[in-house]
Amino acid sequence: MGTQGSLVLVPVEGGPQDQEVVRLACELARRDKSPVVILYVIEVSHALPLDAEVPVETARGEQVLQSLERHARSLKCKVEGEILQARSRGSAIVQEAESRGAGTVVVGAAYQEHYGVPTLGETVPYLLKHSPCRVLVLRSEAPVAAGIS
């Protein structure tokens, strides 16, 4: 499916589907003999300098990465984690994919609705439009509506 050795980039947010996204990325990476980079992006407000100290967010990112790196290693996956600070999550992921020569971005998308219509939020459509490589989206299941079987 991909080029042998091409990196698999996995942006995570610390949400419930992160482990499933990492598992999927590791399956791809093992098949293609690729490394996996788990990326945690901290969005920094325009009110702050881009390199501002954000200790609470940084600590959360480190905790999320440590947990997901352990999970990936348990799946026999070669992995590294990285925290980035950026103004926009989508553009940071695209820039990282470009600079690392990623072959695939594997991203999770929580099921969301806007006025009753399913939506992918802001980041996933940005990645689909601007990514230099393939983008695999793993959307979480839709909730079961009451009274519908």
Side-chain angles (χ1 to χ4, degrees):
M1 198 164 160
T3 308
Q4 182 167 345
S6 65
L7 180 121
V8 179
L9 187 63
V10 188
V12 297
E13 295 181 331
Q17 72 187 78
D18 283 351
Q19 283 200 348
E20 184 67 14
V21 172
V22 167
R23 184 196 59 73
L24 179 60
C26 285
E27 286 179 15
L28 284 173
R30 274 197 309 272
R31 189 185 62 210
D32 295 341
K33 296 177 179 48
S34 303
V36 171
V37 173
I38 303 172
L39 184 65
Y40 186 91
V41 179
I42 299 170
E43 284 188 308
V44 180
S45 159
H46 287 283
L48 297 171
L50 188 53
D51 61 353
E53 295 283 325
V54 283
V56 172
E57 292 88 346
T58 301
R60 182 172 189 276
E62 289 172 353
Q63 181 181 23
V64 167
L65 288 179
Q66 285 174 0
S67 170
L68 292 173
E69 287 172 16
R70 264 194 313 276
H71 177 58
R73 285 188 197 101
S74 77
L75 300 169
K76 308 291 187 244
C77 189
K78 182 181 175 191
V79 66
E80 73 175 84
E82 183 171 340
I83 295 177
L84 286 182
Q85 288 188 195
R87 299 286 182 209
S88 161
R89 187 168 189 266
S91 64
I93 295 165
V94 167
Q95 288 174 3
E96 195 69 9
E98 288 172 346
S99 70
R100 288 180 176 263
T104 307
V105 174
V106 181
V107 63
Y111 183 85
Q112 303 174 49
E113 287 186 1
H114 186 69
Y115 297 114
V117 177
T119 178
L120 293 172
E122 291 179 20
T123 301
V124 171
Y126 187 92
L127 293 176
L128 292 172
K129 183 173 183 179
H130 298 285
S131 177
C133 60
R134 338 179 260 191
V135 177
L136 220 60
V137 180
L138 179 65
R139 196 208 75 199
S140 59
E141 295 177 354
V144 177
I148 298 177
S149 51

PDB file of all heavy atoms in Angstrom, residues 1-8 28-29 31-35 101-104 134:
ATOM      1  N   MET A   1       0.821  -1.194   0.000  1.00  0.00           N
ATOM      2  CA  MET A   1       0.000   0.000   0.000  1.00  0.00           C
ATOM      3  C   MET A   1       0.856   1.245   0.000  1.00  0.00           C
ATOM      4  O   MET A   1       0.563   2.197  -0.676  1.00  0.00           O
ATOM      5  CB  MET A   1      -0.916  -0.022   1.227  1.00  0.00           C
ATOM      6  CG  MET A   1      -2.088   0.897   1.139  1.00  0.00           C
ATOM      7  SD  MET A   1      -3.254   0.370   2.417  1.00  0.00           S
ATOM      8  CE  MET A   1      -4.200   1.826   2.590  1.00  0.00           C
ATOM      9  N   GLY A   2       1.953   1.252   0.764  1.00  0.00           N
ATOM     10  CA  GLY A   2       2.802   2.432   0.819  1.00  0.00           C
ATOM     11  C   GLY A   2       4.206   2.096   0.364  1.00  0.00           C
ATOM     12  O   GLY A   2       4.513   0.965   0.051  1.00  0.00           O
ATOM     13  N   THR A   3       5.056   3.102   0.366  1.00  0.00           N
ATOM     14  CA  THR A   3       6.442   2.902   0.003  1.00  0.00           C
ATOM     15  C   THR A   3       7.172   2.299   1.193  1.00  0.00           C
ATOM     16  O   THR A   3       6.998   2.758   2.311  1.00  0.00           O
ATOM     17  CB  THR A   3       7.086   4.256  -0.358  1.00  0.00           C
ATOM     18  OG1 THR A   3       6.257   4.884  -1.328  1.00  0.00           O
ATOM     19  CG2 THR A   3       8.464   4.072  -0.900  1.00  0.00           C
ATOM     20  N   GLN A   4       7.990   1.290   0.953  1.00  0.00           N
ATOM     21  CA  GLN A   4       8.699   0.654   2.060  1.00  0.00           C
ATOM     22  C   GLN A   4       9.527   1.681   2.807  1.00  0.00           C
ATOM     23  O   GLN A   4      10.259   2.451   2.212  1.00  0.00           O
ATOM     24  CB  GLN A   4       9.598  -0.466   1.554  1.00  0.00           C
ATOM     25  CG  GLN A   4      10.303  -1.163   2.695  1.00  0.00           C
ATOM     26  CD  GLN A   4      10.941  -2.457   2.272  1.00  0.00           C
ATOM     27  OE1 GLN A   4      10.653  -2.993   1.230  1.00  0.00           O
ATOM     28  NE2 GLN A   4      11.809  -2.968   3.110  1.00  0.00           N
ATOM     29  N   GLY A   5       9.362   1.684   4.121  1.00  0.00           N
ATOM     30  CA  GLY A   5      10.135   2.576   4.961  1.00  0.00           C
ATOM     31  C   GLY A   5       9.555   3.973   5.093  1.00  0.00           C
ATOM     32  O   GLY A   5      10.066   4.763   5.852  1.00  0.00           O
ATOM     33  N   SER A   6       8.470   4.299   4.355  1.00  0.00           N
ATOM     34  CA  SER A   6       7.919   5.646   4.483  1.00  0.00           C
ATOM     35  C   SER A   6       7.162   5.772   5.801  1.00  0.00           C
ATOM     36  O   SER A   6       6.408   4.895   6.194  1.00  0.00           O
ATOM     37  CB  SER A   6       7.037   5.995   3.291  1.00  0.00           C
ATOM     38  OG  SER A   6       5.894   5.170   3.262  1.00  0.00           O
ATOM     39  N   LEU A   7       7.391   6.857   6.451  1.00  0.00           N
ATOM     40  CA  LEU A   7       6.899   7.102   7.790  1.00  0.00           C
ATOM     41  C   LEU A   7       5.378   7.181   7.861  1.00  0.00           C
ATOM     42  O   LEU A   7       4.736   7.670   6.934  1.00  0.00           O
ATOM     43  CB  LEU A   7       7.508   8.436   8.248  1.00  0.00           C
ATOM     44  CG  LEU A   7       7.135   8.911   9.622  1.00  0.00           C
ATOM     45  CD1 LEU A   7       8.383   9.072  10.446  1.00  0.00           C
ATOM     46  CD2 LEU A   7       6.436  10.247   9.510  1.00  0.00           C
ATOM     47  N   VAL A   8       4.828   6.704   8.968  1.00  0.00           N
ATOM     48  CA  VAL A   8       3.403   6.834   9.255  1.00  0.00           C
ATOM     49  C   VAL A   8       3.270   7.859  10.379  1.00  0.00           C
ATOM     50  O   VAL A   8       3.815   7.673  11.464  1.00  0.00           O
ATOM     51  CB  VAL A   8       2.774   5.486   9.677  1.00  0.00           C
ATOM     52  CG1 VAL A   8       1.295   5.667   9.994  1.00  0.00           C
ATOM     53  CG2 VAL A   8       2.971   4.433   8.593  1.00  0.00           C
ATOM     54  N   LEU A  28      -0.229  -0.828   9.631  1.00  0.00           N
ATOM     55  CA  LEU A  28       0.299  -0.333   8.353  1.00  0.00           C
ATOM     56  C   LEU A  28       1.821  -0.309   8.370  1.00  0.00           C
ATOM     57  O   LEU A  28       2.471  -0.719   7.422  1.00  0.00           O
ATOM     58  CB  LEU A  28      -0.199   1.088   8.086  1.00  0.00           C
ATOM     59  CG  LEU A  28      -1.631   1.267   7.638  1.00  0.00           C
ATOM     60  CD1 LEU A  28      -1.966   2.752   7.587  1.00  0.00           C
ATOM     61  CD2 LEU A  28      -1.852   0.621   6.287  1.00  0.00           C
ATOM     62  N   ALA A  29       2.375   0.205   9.448  1.00  0.00           N
ATOM     63  CA  ALA A  29       3.827   0.367   9.557  1.00  0.00           C
ATOM     64  C   ALA A  29       4.544  -0.975   9.528  1.00  0.00           C
ATOM     65  O   ALA A  29       5.578  -1.115   8.868  1.00  0.00           O
ATOM     66  CB  ALA A  29       4.165   1.123  10.835  1.00  0.00           C
ATOM     67  N   ARG A  31       3.508  -3.752   8.126  1.00  0.00           N
ATOM     68  CA  ARG A  31       3.401  -4.305   6.778  1.00  0.00           C
ATOM     69  C   ARG A  31       4.383  -3.627   5.821  1.00  0.00           C
ATOM     70  O   ARG A  31       4.994  -4.265   4.981  1.00  0.00           O
ATOM     71  CB  ARG A  31       1.966  -4.142   6.271  1.00  0.00           C
ATOM     72  CG  ARG A  31       1.750  -4.894   4.981  1.00  0.00           C
ATOM     73  CD  ARG A  31       0.409  -4.659   4.391  1.00  0.00           C
ATOM     74  NE  ARG A  31       0.301  -3.244   4.069  1.00  0.00           N
ATOM     75  CZ  ARG A  31      -0.825  -2.563   4.076  1.00  0.00           C
ATOM     76  NH1 ARG A  31      -1.935  -3.150   4.408  1.00  0.00           N
ATOM     77  NH2 ARG A  31      -0.840  -1.297   3.758  1.00  0.00           N
ATOM     78  N   ASP A  32       4.531  -2.312   5.951  1.00  0.00           N
ATOM     79  CA  ASP A  32       5.405  -1.547   5.054  1.00  0.00           C
ATOM     80  C   ASP A  32       6.812  -1.351   5.610  1.00  0.00           C
ATOM     81  O   ASP A  32       7.618  -0.657   5.004  1.00  0.00           O
ATOM     82  CB  ASP A  32       4.791  -0.169   4.766  1.00  0.00           C
ATOM     83  CG  ASP A  32       3.479  -0.251   4.000  1.00  0.00           C
ATOM     84  OD1 ASP A  32       3.211  -1.305   3.389  1.00  0.00           O
ATOM     85  OD2 ASP A  32       2.729   0.725   4.013  1.00  0.00           O
ATOM     86  N   LYS A  33       7.089  -1.929   6.805  1.00  0.00           N
ATOM     87  CA  LYS A  33       8.381  -1.759   7.476  1.00  0.00           C
ATOM     88  C   LYS A  33       8.720  -0.278   7.663  1.00  0.00           C
ATOM     89  O   LYS A  33       9.809   0.183   7.343  1.00  0.00           O
ATOM     90  CB  LYS A  33       9.482  -2.484   6.705  1.00  0.00           C
ATOM     91  CG  LYS A  33       9.301  -3.992   6.665  1.00  0.00           C
ATOM     92  CD  LYS A  33      10.364  -4.658   5.839  1.00  0.00           C
ATOM     93  CE  LYS A  33      10.259  -6.155   5.790  1.00  0.00           C
ATOM     94  NZ  LYS A  33       8.965  -6.715   5.503  1.00  0.00           N
ATOM     95  N   SER A  34       7.735   0.453   8.182  1.00  0.00           N
ATOM     96  CA  SER A  34       7.863   1.899   8.356  1.00  0.00           C
ATOM     97  C   SER A  34       7.904   2.267   9.831  1.00  0.00           C
ATOM     98  O   SER A  34       7.302   1.595  10.657  1.00  0.00           O
ATOM     99  CB  SER A  34       6.651   2.609   7.740  1.00  0.00           C
ATOM    100  OG  SER A  34       6.503   2.278   6.388  1.00  0.00           O
ATOM    101  N   PRO A  35       8.576   3.374  10.150  1.00  0.00           N
ATOM    102  CA  PRO A  35       8.501   3.894  11.519  1.00  0.00           C
ATOM    103  C   PRO A  35       7.191   4.667  11.706  1.00  0.00           C
ATOM    104  O   PRO A  35       6.578   5.118  10.736  1.00  0.00           O
ATOM    105  CB  PRO A  35       9.710   4.838  11.602  1.00  0.00           C
ATOM    106  CG  PRO A  35       9.948   5.268  10.183  1.00  0.00           C
ATOM    107  CD  PRO A  35       9.513   4.125   9.313  1.00  0.00           C
ATOM    108  N   GLY A 101       8.672  13.617   5.215  1.00  0.00           N
ATOM    109  CA  GLY A 101       8.453  12.743   4.069  1.00  0.00           C
ATOM    110  C   GLY A 101       7.507  11.598   4.381  1.00  0.00           C
ATOM    111  O   GLY A 101       7.713  10.468   3.935  1.00  0.00           O
ATOM    112  N   ALA A 102       6.468  11.882   5.149  1.00  0.00           N
ATOM    113  CA  ALA A 102       5.516  10.839   5.551  1.00  0.00           C
ATOM    114  C   ALA A 102       4.832  10.237   4.334  1.00  0.00           C
ATOM    115  O   ALA A 102       4.549  10.928   3.347  1.00  0.00           O
ATOM    116  CB  ALA A 102       4.466  11.416   6.500  1.00  0.00           C
ATOM    117  N   GLY A 103       4.567   8.943   4.405  1.00  0.00           N
ATOM    118  CA  GLY A 103       3.831   8.256   3.353  1.00  0.00           C
ATOM    119  C   GLY A 103       2.345   8.211   3.642  1.00  0.00           C
ATOM    120  O   GLY A 103       1.522   8.141   2.734  1.00  0.00           O
ATOM    121  N   THR A 104       2.009   8.250   4.940  1.00  0.00           N
ATOM    122  CA  THR A 104       0.610   8.164   5.353  1.00  0.00           C
ATOM    123  C   THR A 104       0.417   8.949   6.648  1.00  0.00           C
ATOM    124  O   THR A 104       1.267   8.916   7.536  1.00  0.00           O
ATOM    125  CB  THR A 104       0.190   6.700   5.629  1.00  0.00           C
ATOM    126  OG1 THR A 104       0.518   5.899   4.492  1.00  0.00           O
ATOM    127  CG2 THR A 104      -1.291   6.576   5.922  1.00  0.00           C
ATOM    128  N   ARG A 134      -1.021  10.219   1.571  1.00  0.00           N
ATOM    129  CA  ARG A 134      -2.342   9.652   1.834  1.00  0.00           C
ATOM    130  C   ARG A 134      -2.783  10.000   3.250  1.00  0.00           C
ATOM    131  O   ARG A 134      -1.944  10.148   4.149  1.00  0.00           O
ATOM    132  CB  ARG A 134      -2.397   8.136   1.756  1.00  0.00           C
ATOM    133  CG  ARG A 134      -1.413   7.421   1.011  1.00  0.00           C
ATOM    134  CD  ARG A 134      -1.646   5.932   1.097  1.00  0.00           C
ATOM    135  NE  ARG A 134      -0.732   5.406   2.099  1.00  0.00           N
ATOM    136  CZ  ARG A 134      -0.494   4.144   2.308  1.00  0.00           C
ATOM    137  NH1 ARG A 134      -1.145   3.243   1.633  1.00  0.00           N
ATOM    138  NH2 ARG A 134       0.361   3.755   3.202  1.00  0.00           N
TER     139      ARG A 134
END
